[in-house]
Amino acid sequence: NRTLRVRGVLIEEPQPLHLPYLWAAYRRSAFAHKLPADIQQDEFATRLARAYGDRGRAWVLSATTPSGMIPVGLMTAAVEQHRLYPHVVWFPEATARNKLEVVCRFFETVGRMSLLLVIAEPKDAVFYRRVCRYTQAREVGYIVGYYRDRDGIVFQSHA
């Protein structure tokens, strides 16, 4: 869809050049659910790798912002055979459009090589239904009680 291809999006594996952006996101609580608030900068990379290393794969998601092309999120994915179960941590500077653009691009690129399965909370289902409008991803069902007191809504790529 031309609407989402006008602006730049970059999906790449984490590299040392991303570390200042990841550190800035950490300082603004982007990783508060996984990392304590008192980490020093010199131990940050090690602690981040330890916190997310069990996921299997990781990508830094960059998009065009008023400050130029900068990282706006960190996507990690658990790997099971040919399936990936992605999870994204958005940085504070990510706009709604950035989020839509990078997730659509992720589904269109990584989703062609591996089957992506997103199990979304009901509050996120509207976003992923919109992703389905712009990509060949689709909603395939739900898992009762996946989030303890809520169902998980399942979306998959076209791989």
Side-chain angles (χ1 to χ4, degrees):
N1 185 319
R2 188 171 183 269
T3 304
L4 296 175
R5 290 196 172 94
V6 174
R7 296 168 14 131
V9 169
L10 192 59
I11 298 169
E12 53 192 350
E13 293 188 5
Q15 301 170 23
L17 66 98
H18 297 125
L19 212 46
Y21 295 100
L22 296 170
W23 172 251
Y26 163 75
R27 297 297 297 159
R28 288 176 286 148
S29 302
F31 303 108
H33 64 287
K34 283 273 201 176
L35 297 173
D38 60 348
I39 296 175
Q40 298 302 311
Q41 190 169 5
D42 58 344
E43 65 178 319
F44 171 71
T46 304
R47 297 284 294 268
L48 185 67
R50 196 176 319 139
Y52 288 97
D54 64 337
R55 297 283 298 162
R57 298 283 311 272
W59 298 268
V60 173
L61 310 173
S62 299
T64 302
T65 70
S67 302
M69 176 75 79
I70 61 169
V72 294
L74 177 68
M75 177 83 73
T76 59
V79 180
E80 284 184 17
Q81 297 173 343
H82 69 287
R83 296 180 302 274
L84 296 177
Y85 295 88
H87 173 75
V88 67
V89 175
W90 295 112
F91 301 165
E93 50 277 320
T95 65
R97 182 177 176 120
N98 292 152
K99 293 174 183 180
L100 184 62
E101 287 173 338
V102 296
V103 170
C104 286
R105 181 70 57 85
F106 190 82
F107 265 83
E108 288 297 312
T109 56
V110 178
R112 289 177 195 231
M113 298 177 278
S114 300
L115 178 64
L116 299 179
L117 291 168
V118 174
I119 303 169
E121 292 192 49
K123 67 180 179 61
D124 298 325
V126 170
F127 173 79
Y128 284 102
R129 287 184 182 118
R130 191 156 185 210
V131 169
C132 291
R133 286 180 41 208
Y134 293 114
T135 68
Q136 292 187 16
R138 61 182 178 237
E139 183 175 347
V140 294
Y142 62 95
I143 300 171
V144 175
Y146 186 82
Y147 293 102
R148 292 191 188 172
D149 60 340
R150 301 176 308 285
D151 297 343
I153 301 165
V154 183
F155 296 87
Q156 78 170 53
S157 65
H158 60 294

